[in-house]
């Protein structure tokens, strides 16, 4: 079976492999296509697409955006976006400024507790990357304050952790207007990661469908067969394409590139939607 992975991060956001490295790794694993979906940036797309063209791997340009839903950040994957779209660039400027303000607050809170966290140094260590909590987590682990990234999240950076600070997510209407303006197709990412019960999830999917998603990421790292079947039923009910991906982040998360298996047919259906 030809398989694909439609959810992959690189060093342009919080992955640990460069776009070229991810592409050659995907090629090695025998994947047919991947989508590069960094958080809030198109910075990795050109390199990934060039690397894909060189080695014969289909690379779909994508992005993962955090959209506001009742104050929660819901992740929406935009595929086939034009990275030069003025509307998109303007939106990303806003998101990056919002992140910058929040990163300052988190670094200050750490320094107030005597942790030598310097944002300029963090940025220098990850040039051209959209800096977020995963980079702070890595730095805390490097300082010996946590065993690893997951432990740093658990101790310091989860929503109820001492250094977590809120940021504003993209207003729903603006997010979808922008994805449309950039020629993209929106897909709901990892539906079971938000902590909703059945009714809550139904309401969320209804709202996102109205806003304009074309598909749902029914296959995702850690979802078992019963969960996938439930999500596929939900997708069918709202006439959404079924998609899937690993959310590969290199060494920063255990997620494995190309797992779970997602058939190439899902990409064809998304293209046709
Ligand atoms: P941010 O966008 O800066 O709030 O960071 C959120 C990102 O951190 C998510 O998209 C994940 O990639 C990552 N993340 C969240 N929780 C964890 C965790 N427990 N372990 C590793 N990475 C995490
Ligand atoms: Zn991430
Ligand atoms: Fe996500
Ligand atoms: Fe992701």
């Amino acid at each position: 079976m030809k398989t694909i992975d439609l959810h992959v991060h690189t060093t342009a956001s919080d992955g640990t492999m460069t776009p070229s490295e991810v592409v050659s790794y995907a090629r090695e694993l025998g994947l047919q296509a991947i989508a590069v979906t960094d958080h809030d940036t198109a910075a990795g797309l050109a390199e990934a697409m060039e690397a894909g063209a060189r080695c014969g791997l289909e690379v779909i340009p994508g992005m993962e955006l955090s959209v506001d839903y009742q104050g929660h950040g819901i992740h929406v994957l935009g595929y086939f976006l034009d990275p030069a779209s003025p509307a998109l660039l303007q939106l990303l400027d806003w998101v990056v400024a919002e992140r910058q303000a929040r990163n300052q607050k988190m670094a200050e809170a750490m320094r107030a507790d005597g942790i030598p966290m310097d944002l300029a140094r963090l940025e220098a260590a990850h040039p051209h990357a959209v800096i977020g909590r995963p980079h702070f987590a890595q730095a805390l682990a490097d300082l010996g304050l946590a065993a690893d990234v997951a432990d740093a999240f658990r101790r310091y950076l989860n929503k109820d952790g001492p250094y977590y600070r809120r940021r504003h997510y993209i207003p729903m209407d603006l997010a979808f207007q922008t994805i449309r303006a950039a020629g993209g197709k929106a897909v709901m990412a990892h539906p079971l990661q938000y902590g909703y019960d059945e009714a809550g999830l139904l309401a969320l999917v209804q709202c996102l469908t109205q806003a304009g998603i074309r598909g749902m990421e029914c296959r995702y790292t850690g979802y078992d067969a019963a969960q996938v079947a439930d999500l596929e039923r939900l997708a069918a009910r709202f006439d959404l394409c079924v998609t899937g991906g690993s959310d590969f982040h290199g060494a920063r998360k255990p997620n494995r590139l190309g797992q779970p298996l997602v058939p190439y047919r899902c990409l064809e259906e998304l293209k046709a939607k």
Side-chain angles (χ1 to χ4, degrees), residues 61-245:
M63 196 177 294
E64 184 171 25
L65 297 171
S66 302
V67 176
D68 185 89
Y69 173 71
Q70 300 172 351
H72 301 282
I74 302 299
H75 291 184
V76 171
L77 298 159
Y79 294 111
F80 313 107
L81 294 155
D82 170 13
S85 153
L88 182 60
L89 293 173
Q90 193 184 354
L91 178 67
L92 296 180
D93 281 348
W94 178 83
V95 174
V96 168
E98 188 66 34
R99 278 186 173 280
Q100 181 76 14
R102 180 233 210 174
N103 287 345
Q104 288 290 2
K105 285 186 213 162
M106 294 200 295
E108 270 166 34
M110 291 177 200
R111 282 199 302 275
D113 283 350
I115 298 172
M117 186 61 69
D118 180 47
L119 194 53
R121 236 182 24 228
L122 203 57
E123 286 168 352
H126 303 282
H128 314 298
V130 172
I131 303 287
R133 283 184 289 157
H135 305 89
F136 280 94
Q138 183 74 60
L140 290 167
D142 292 345
L143 285 167
L145 294 165
D148 54 24
V149 167
D151 187 44
F153 265 94
R154 215 162 24 240
R155 285 168 186 259
Y156 307 109
L157 291 165
N158 280 334
K159 265 210 161 87
D160 50 0
Y163 302 127
Y164 175 81
R165 292 295 180 274
R166 271 186 55 87
R167 69 182 168 98
H168 294 104
Y169 302 113
I170 306 167
M172 179 89 64
D173 289 352
L174 178 60
F176 282 87
Q177 267 166 32
T178 307
I179 292 172
R180 260 194 299 274
K185 295 187 180 188
V187 167
M188 177 189 195
H190 43 57
L192 302 182
Q193 302 314 103
Y194 309 112
Y196 290 108
D197 62 12
E198 209 178 312
L201 183 59
L202 192 66
L204 170 59
V205 173
Q206 203 151 24
C207 175
L208 290 173
T209 301
Q210 243 154 34
I213 49 166
R214 317 272 184 105
M216 182 192 267
E217 192 176 53
C218 300
R219 298 174 188 215
Y220 183 76
T221 298
Y223 292 5
D224 66 27
Q227 290 171 320
V228 171
D230 280 348
L231 289 173
E232 290 188 350
R233 261 194 299 279
L234 191 58
R237 183 168 160 186
F238 287 94
D239 191 28
L240 299 169
C241 283
V242 168
T243 73

